[in-house]
């Protein structure tokens, strides 16, 4: 090989080596300046104070509730369950499930020729973008439910440390809803996740059944990407509804929901029961 050829080969090798080093250096600088990848999660572990719906104990509790007739809510809800489509859509997701379970006609199309509730139809009080950014308060949930042809019995557990609804009244409402063999009523709870040893704060979800002997309540969590549905003791759930919402400074609680009827004696009785609690109605 001639001296000239050797020189050209050396130059090419040097150039290739230099380019490789330069490329590596640029890649290192680029990676260093990129933001770290965001953390992602596939669900969270259910805290020990809660019993997974899918566990052996959870299945036994559900079987006994079905046998005792205290899982009527679950039977109506189970065919309509879905999960919230946005992290802040727990209120919308819960309400859409209940509206479909109670067979409320939205009277406007969902897809094609079909009328059916999903979160996108629940934008009559606040825009979906607003709810996506801020979530939903107790009062906003009640108002949205009324706008969509439901009779609403809102129950705040306490206000300014003063008890408004006793645990006994909560249990009484649980029994009434979960044993409603006609499937005319449903319950949604508004609670603080931290009180259940979960991450996050305010949350809405429907109730599926009540196991009176053990005091366990089935919460059908609409954020199933985060936690599965679970049984929680009624004492714990009652306490979880006491903390105030940071957005409003008002307490949380639960809703008993019923489809409006054109002319129904049972609806009149229900509305009379609601009006007998003036302190609750004044809060919303």
């Amino acid at each position: 090989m001639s001296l000239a050829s050797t020189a050209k080969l050396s130059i090419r090798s040097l150039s290739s080596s230099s380019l490789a080093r330069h490329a590596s250096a640029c890649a290192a600088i680029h990676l260093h300046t990129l933001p770290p990848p965001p953390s992602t999660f596939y669900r969270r572990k259910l805290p020990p104070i809660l019993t997974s719906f899918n566990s052996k104990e959870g299945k036994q509790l559900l079987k006994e509730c079905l046998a005792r007739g205290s899982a009527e809510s679950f039977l109506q809800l189970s065919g309509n369950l879905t999960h919230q489509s946005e992290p802040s859509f727990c209120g919308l997701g819960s309400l859409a499930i209940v509206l479909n379970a109670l067979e409320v006609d939205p009277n406007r199309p969902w897809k094609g020729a079909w009328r059916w509730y999903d979160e996108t139809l629940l934008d009559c009080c606040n825009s979906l973008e607003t709810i996506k950014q801020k979530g939903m308060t107790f009062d906003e949930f009640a108002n949205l439910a009324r706008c969509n042809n439901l009779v609403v019995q809102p129950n705040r557990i306490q206000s300014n440390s003063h008890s408004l609804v006793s645990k006994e009244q909560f249990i009484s409402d649980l029994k009434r809803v979960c044993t409603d063999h006609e499937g005319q009523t449903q319950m949604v709870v508004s609670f603080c996740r931290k009180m259940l040893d979960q991450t996050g704060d305010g949350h809405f979800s429907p109730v599926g059944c009540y196991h009176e002997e053990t005091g366990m309540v089935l919460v059908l969590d609409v954020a199933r990407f985060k936690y599965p549905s679970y049984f929680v003791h009624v004492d714990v759930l009652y306490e979880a509804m006491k903390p105030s919402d940071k957005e409003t400074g008002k307490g949380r609680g639960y809703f008993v929901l019923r489809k409006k009827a054109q002319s129904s004696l049972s609806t009149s009785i229900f509305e009379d029961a609601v009006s007998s609690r003036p302190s609750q109605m004044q809060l919303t």
Side-chain angles (χ1 to χ4, degrees), residues 4-17:
S5 298
T6 303
K8 289 179 181 179
L9 182 60
S10 299
I11 290 171
R12 283 199 298 269
S13 299
L14 180 61
S15 299
S16 298
S17 177

Side-chain angles (χ1 to χ4, degrees), residues 10-11 20 25 35 51 70 75 91 132 153 170 189 247 264 269:
S10 299
I11 290 171
T51 300
S70 59
L75 293 175
K132 184 177 179 179
Q153 177 188 320
F170 174 47
V189 287
E247 179 75 17
S264 170
I269 293 172

Side-chain angles (χ1 to χ4, degrees), residues 133-207:
Q133 297 298 323
K134 299 178 61 179
M136 181 177 290
T137 67
F138 187 92
D139 291 340
E140 288 171 343
F141 183 96
N143 291 335
L144 186 59
R146 292 189 185 101
C147 285
N148 286 276
N149 296 313
L150 291 181
V151 178
V152 183
Q153 177 188 320
N155 300 276
R156 274 201 171 89
I157 297 300
Q158 69 177 25
S159 177
N160 298 323
S161 300
H162 298 295
S163 178
L164 298 175
V165 176
S166 67
K167 184 172 65 178
E168 291 72 25
Q169 181 61 55
F170 174 47
I171 292 173
S172 175
D173 286 338
L174 271 174
K175 292 179 181 178
R176 175 164 62 93
V177 172
C178 294
T179 59
D180 179 2
H181 300 290
E182 295 182 357
Q184 298 298 310
T185 54
Q186 294 291 344
M187 178 182 288
V188 170
V189 287
S190 170
F191 60 95
C192 175
R193 279 196 183 276
K194 294 176 182 177
M195 299 294 287
L196 304 187
D197 291 343
Q198 298 177 333
T199 61
D201 196 0
H203 193 54
F204 294 89
S205 279
V207 166

Side-chain angles (χ1 to χ4, degrees), residues 29-38:
I29 292 171
H30 181 65
L31 288 173
H32 182 71
T33 56
L34 285 176

